[in-house]
Amino acid sequence: MGLATLKEVLAGTRAMGYAVGAFNFNGYEDAQGIVEGAVAKNAPVIVMASVSAVKYIGLRQTAGLVKGIAESVNIPVCLHLDHATDVALIKEAVKAGFTSVMIDASAKDYETNIRETKAVVDFARIYGCSVEAELGKVGGKEENIVVADASATFTDPADVTRFVEETGIDALAVAIGTVHGFYKADPKLDFERLEKIAALTSCPLVLHGGTGVPVEDFKRCVKKGISKINVGTELKATFSDAVRKAVAANPESEFDPRKYVGPVKQACAEVVKGKIDIFGCAGKAWRV
Ligand code: G3H
Ligand code: ZN
């Protein structure tokens, strides 16, 4: 089918009451496994490369890898650059064929966030690429972006309308109490805030920090207007566990690397299938 844009995969999600899963990957095995999980559920899927994943794999290699995977399946696959702060890197990713980019200027003041985001939107539009931006600050650690608990700030509904209208973004990441990485205590989500934000804009809303969010909270978020849900840390842990198990299960004489990293595909696919069921997007591939 080839790559789809974020705008395409998120169209109609809120009206139909489901969210599309967005999963971070760091190499071939997890990227392939994520897409295989989505294929098994006939669901659209967003595969996300963080800035450090792109630096590890290589920008063009990342684009080529996911483009190849997307062309080999019959579901919409969106390739998204996650939490990018460097506009030059974003432009390179757009030119390399990413179909979605996130400009994360959430650490900057409101006016700067608007200005930088709008500049990225203007550039991405030329290439037909979608843009996600963030208002408020999601706490925790996402690769090289660390937001201490005290600095995390929830999205102020009063900031939303102008931000969405002036920037022209395709998706808005909101801070409503989730954090990046493993939770130290149960997350306390501000559903009332989410409801208020959703009432103010029809722009698709994004929930970051999906690892460790209880199933019922996910479902409530989707009901109240979340269209894209990001899961990263859980897949990293799944990747590592699968390799550890495979190493432990094989004799020392085994030297085929595929015996060690191959199981990552199935393990990641299983996680993705579970999330797709929770997010309600199984069987929605046809919509895009
Ligand atoms: O942008 C990526 C996500 O927000 C991942 O969050 O690692 O806590 O699942 P997570
Ligand atoms: Zn995030």
Side-chain angles (χ1 to χ4, degrees):
M1 195 178 237
L3 291 172
T5 64
L6 187 66
K7 189 180 174 138
E8 287 167 335
V9 299
L10 297 186
T13 45
R14 202 191 293 181
M16 288 195 66
Y18 69 94
V20 179
F23 305 98
N24 288 96
F25 71 99
N26 291 284
Y28 159 69
E29 287 80 11
D30 45 359
Q32 179 73 33
I34 290 164
V35 174
E36 280 174 12
V39 167
K41 291 288 176 185
N42 195 27
V45 71
I46 300 153
V47 290
M48 306 194 292
S50 66
V51 170
S52 53
V54 158
K55 285 189 177 148
Y56 174 73
I57 303 169
L59 183 72
R60 290 190 177 278
Q61 292 90 323
T62 306
L65 169 69
V66 177
K67 195 166 172 272
I69 294 173
E71 280 167 2
S72 71
V73 295
N74 250 333
I75 55 159
V77 177
C78 169
L79 171 59
H80 177 82
L81 178 67
D82 197 26
H83 287 289
T85 50
D86 176 1
V87 174
L89 176 75
I90 290 175
K91 288 185 174 176
E92 284 310 306
V94 171
K95 286 195 263 180
F98 278 65
T99 48
S100 178
V101 290
M102 177 184 187
I103 163 74
D104 183 353
S106 60
K108 303 190 173 153
D109 64 82
Y110 185 63
E111 297 301 329
T112 311
N113 193 353
I114 289 185
R115 207 173 44 247
E116 274 195 20
T117 301
K118 185 172 167 22
V120 167
V121 170
D122 289 344
F123 181 82
R125 283 283 173 272
I126 301 167
Y127 292 80
C129 177
S130 303
V131 179
E132 172 184 335
E134 178 170 325
L135 258 186
K137 277 184 231 150
V138 175
K141 184 177 183 307
E142 166 63 28
E143 303 284 6
N144 48 345
I145 300 176
V146 183
V147 178
D149 291 356
S151 325
T153 39
F154 286 9
T155 307
D156 185 346
D159 289 340
V160 171
T161 309
R162 187 181 152 217
F163 189 82
V164 170
E165 279 173 12
E166 284 193 20
T167 59
I169 48 169
D170 303 291
L172 176 69
V174 291
I176 56 163
T178 53
V179 299
H180 288 123
F182 290 116
Y183 287 90
K184 293 175 209 132
D186 279 351
K188 295 251 172 306
L189 304 194
D190 189 341
F191 294 105
E192 222 172 281
R193 184 178 299 265
L194 172 58
E195 219 162 5
K196 266 189 207 152
I197 296 167
L200 288 165
T201 182
S202 59
C203 181
L205 304 177
V206 183
L207 185 76
H208 281 247
T211 298
V213 172
V215 172
E216 286 317 309
D217 282 2
F218 272 142
K219 290 189 172 169
R220 238 174 124 185
C221 281
V222 175
K223 218 177 249 168
K224 292 187 183 291
I226 290 288
S227 291
K228 170 179 181 263
I229 301 179
N230 288 12
V231 179
T233 304
E234 185 175 351
L235 283 162
K236 267 190 181 168
T238 301
F239 192 127
S240 307
D241 285 351
V243 174
R244 261 188 229 111
K245 271 193 203 132
V247 170
N250 279 291
E252 276 185 30
S253 56
E254 178 55 65
F255 60 84
D256 182 344
R258 292 167 295 192
K259 290 265 161 43
Y260 299 115
V261 286
V264 167
K265 290 196 242 179
Q266 186 60 32
C268 288
E270 289 307 321
V271 170
V272 167
K273 284 197 277 180
K275 293 292 183 283
I276 284 172
D277 282 339
I278 297 167
F279 303 163
C281 74
K284 299 292 196 301
W286 61 271
R287 293 204 58 256
V288 182

